[in-house]
Amino acid sequence: MHKDLKKRIVFATLIVASIIVIYAEIFLWSMLFFENRDVTFAQSLQVVVESLTTSGYGGFSPWESDFLNYFVLIMNLTGVVLVFVAFPVFFLPFLKGAIEKSPPTKVTKKNHIIICSYSTHAEVLIKELTSRNQDYVIIESGEETAKDLFGSGLEVMKGNPESESTLEAAGLKHAKVVVLNSTTDKNISIIFSIRNINKSVKTIAVLEDEEMETYHKLAGADSTISPRQLIGKSLAVQVPAISINDSVEIDNTIELIEIDIEEGSELCNKSIGEAHLLDKYPINIIGAWKNDEFQSPVSPDLILKSKIRLLVAGDRDELAKLSKKAEATIRHFARNKVLIVGYGVSGKAAFSILETKSVELKVIDIRNEEGVNIVGDIREPETLQEAGINDASAMIITIQDDTIALFATLLARSMNSKTHIIVRANNIENVKKLYDAGADYVQSLATVSGRMLASSIFEDETSLAAEKQINLVQLPAGNLSGTTLAKSNVRAETGCTILTVIREGKKISAIDPHEFKFRDQDDVIVVGTDESIRQFEKMYRDLNL
């Protein structure tokens, strides 16, 4: 029973008792004064209780005086009011609490993931774990938060993750990995508690600042991830016309890259078929990003409008040629101006990438600190005017508040229709809003951190760079054995693309879709979204393995 409920019950009892005693004294006095009848205090109490509960008055009624008749009526009404007030205020919360299920304080699990504290990082990670049928438990110290999470169907237990008894109750001795998702001081405290119980379990800490990595390592953390730094660097890569190697190597010659279609390029406003991409270039078009939607497979009739981003795999040299075709044929060689809004961890990471390039950088922040060029509110047009929004080629927004980022995106787009606006979304649900406000590219911090955690936990799988929001995994060929790509039609059936086959330790990238047959012991490197990879595993996983 909650402390506040106990207090309310005690308070209610005192009020009711006071009313009964006062009414009993009034009845005792009025019977003598108005009715000229002597009654004991016990008899008065009986009449009051009978009146309040509306159960009758025995031998004391009727009364000749108006005062007593009115007084008895008042006692009746008081009883009714007490019932209607007491039930919703005092008893209904108690019944509701009894009916509601409370999160446990102990779980029985093995080979599971322990997540110390819930956050948006954990939200994406849990989706990844669920998609891979990996058991987990969240340790949440906040009672209301734990209740809400438990009520939404998540595996959660209530407790203090810094406490050794809580960690033992979470099954630490049999856990696979512990994810530390709190502040630096709490993370370090949790690590020491973990090592007192289980010295071999893997620990992964999510860092707000990579400078804290040393302290986590000294405390005993096995690995750390810094999503804010990674997303800052990733956003810098999205600035147009900057040569930054952002490919993922699959083998010595095959790479996976994203190619932006620029306005004025040879490919712009042509369909994939009209541009003869698949005829002229020995490449695989995995899919295409249109705003925040990833389409895979893509139709040959897809019109390559500006701001569409293609995800392409193929020979490194051929991809370089294709990238040139996607660039604008007419370029102004004036030095690009890039605005960085927000000079926190992500903003500084973006700055570190861009400062070595041939661009003019202007940093905007609400705080006056070293490295900031313009101090002001990004929601004010004067701030953007002072920073030079009218001739800025790109603008990177990395601030804590998505609502302010949304407003800033809308304002910047109204002031410069051509600037390339790149935004960090702190919450996944705001990604679409930012695109609607005029952003050219939006990346979710929660998605990046969740994928980084999943990649660190599942060491047996090769993951594509987390910021690309696409998975690249190595899986058994399974039920593909004995078939060809053309016969199995993997891409149409699942949305995945098979890039490489691993046979007896060797990677085979030149796969003839009609002639090459998969074998029992083959592994395949598959690229696709979470959903498409789950579909691939569902269709082709050999249950006998």
Side-chain angles (χ1 to χ4, degrees), residues 340-348 351 363-365 367 369-372 398:
I340 298 177
V341 179
Y343 203 50
V345 175
S346 298
K348 288 174 181 175
F351 185 91
V363 177
I364 308 169
D365 201 286
R367 300 163 300 177
E369 61 176 272
E370 186 179 351
V372 176
T398 64

Side-chain angles (χ1 to χ4, degrees), residues 14 36 90 110 120 201 207 250 276 331 362 437 441 503-504:
L14 289 174
N36 198 28
F90 299 104
K110 288 186 178 181
T120 53
V201 68
L207 308 185
I250 298 169
H276 302 288
R331 285 183 175 271
K362 287 286 183 71
Y441 182 80
R503 178 173 292 171
E504 297 177 355

Side-chain angles (χ1 to χ4, degrees), residues 479 541-545:
N479 293 329
R541 184 177 59 182
D542 188 347
L543 298 177
N544 295 319
L545 290 177

Side-chain angles (χ1 to χ4, degrees), residues 39 47 57 62 97 110 114 141 163 242 263 277 308 311 336 363 368 391-393 397 416 440 458 523 529:
V39 294
V47 173
Y57 306 101
K110 288 186 178 181
I114 298 176
S141 57
S163 165
I242 293 180
E263 187 71 46
L277 295 189
I308 279 183
L311 183 62
N336 285 344
V363 177
N368 187 7
D391 58 349
S393 61
I397 302 176
N416 186 337
D440 295 284
F458 298 101
D523 277 0
T529 61

Side-chain angles (χ1 to χ4, degrees), residues 273-478:
E274 290 171 345
H276 302 288
L277 295 189
L278 299 176
D279 303 335
K280 291 183 178 179
Y281 305 94
I283 59 170
N284 259 320
I285 300 178
I286 310 304
W289 291 99
K290 293 180 68 176
N291 291 336
D292 61 334
E293 298 293 330
F294 183 73
Q295 298 180 4
S296 180
V298 294
S299 167
D301 298 325
L302 176 68
I303 303 299
L304 300 174
K305 295 183 179 181
S306 64
K307 299 182 182 179
I308 279 183
R309 177 180 285 108
L310 296 178
L311 183 62
V312 185
D315 180 81
R316 183 183 293 112
D317 295 333
E318 295 297 331
L319 291 177
K321 294 177 185 177
L322 180 60
S323 296
K324 291 292 183 184
K325 296 286 185 182
E327 293 176 358
T329 53
I330 300 174
R331 285 183 175 271
H332 300 283
F333 289 96
R335 197 173 184 218
N336 285 344
K337 178 189 286 185
V338 178
L339 308 182
I340 298 177
V341 179
Y343 203 50
V345 175
S346 298
K348 288 174 181 175
F351 185 91
S352 69
I353 293 291
L354 295 172
E355 67 177 339
T356 62
K357 309 301 171 185
S358 182
V359 294
E360 178 187 351
L361 292 174
K362 287 286 183 71
V363 177
I364 308 169
D365 201 286
I366 196 71
R367 300 163 300 177
N368 187 7
E369 61 176 272
E370 186 179 351
V372 176
N373 304 112
I374 310 294
V375 178
D377 189 338
I378 193 61
R379 294 168 293 183
E380 299 292 337
E382 294 78 12
T383 303
L384 288 177
Q385 289 283 9
E386 184 182 353
I389 184 65
N390 293 331
D391 58 349
S393 61
M395 178 177 178
I396 299 175
I397 302 176
T398 64
I399 54 180
Q400 294 282 3
D401 193 318
D402 282 352
T403 303
I404 296 176
L406 186 70
F407 192 94
T409 301
L410 194 65
L411 180 62
R413 178 57 69 217
S414 69
M415 297 176 72
N416 186 337
S417 61
K418 294 183 178 180
T419 190
H420 199 75
I421 302 176
I422 304 156
V423 190
R424 182 192 84 194
N426 297 289
N427 295 311
I428 299 172
E429 59 266 23
N430 292 325
V431 170
K432 189 175 187 307
K433 291 181 185 178
L434 288 162
Y435 274 118
D436 291 342
D440 295 284
Y441 182 80
V442 183
Q443 200 163 71
S444 164
L445 177 62
T447 300
V448 170
S449 56
R451 289 186 182 280
M452 289 176 74
L453 283 168
S455 178
S456 186
I457 290 170
F458 298 101
E459 294 177 336
D460 56 322
E461 296 186 0
T462 306
S463 293
L464 180 59
E467 71 272 14
K468 290 187 181 298
Q469 305 175 46
I470 296 293
N471 280 337
L472 181 71
V473 298
Q474 180 177 325
L475 298 169

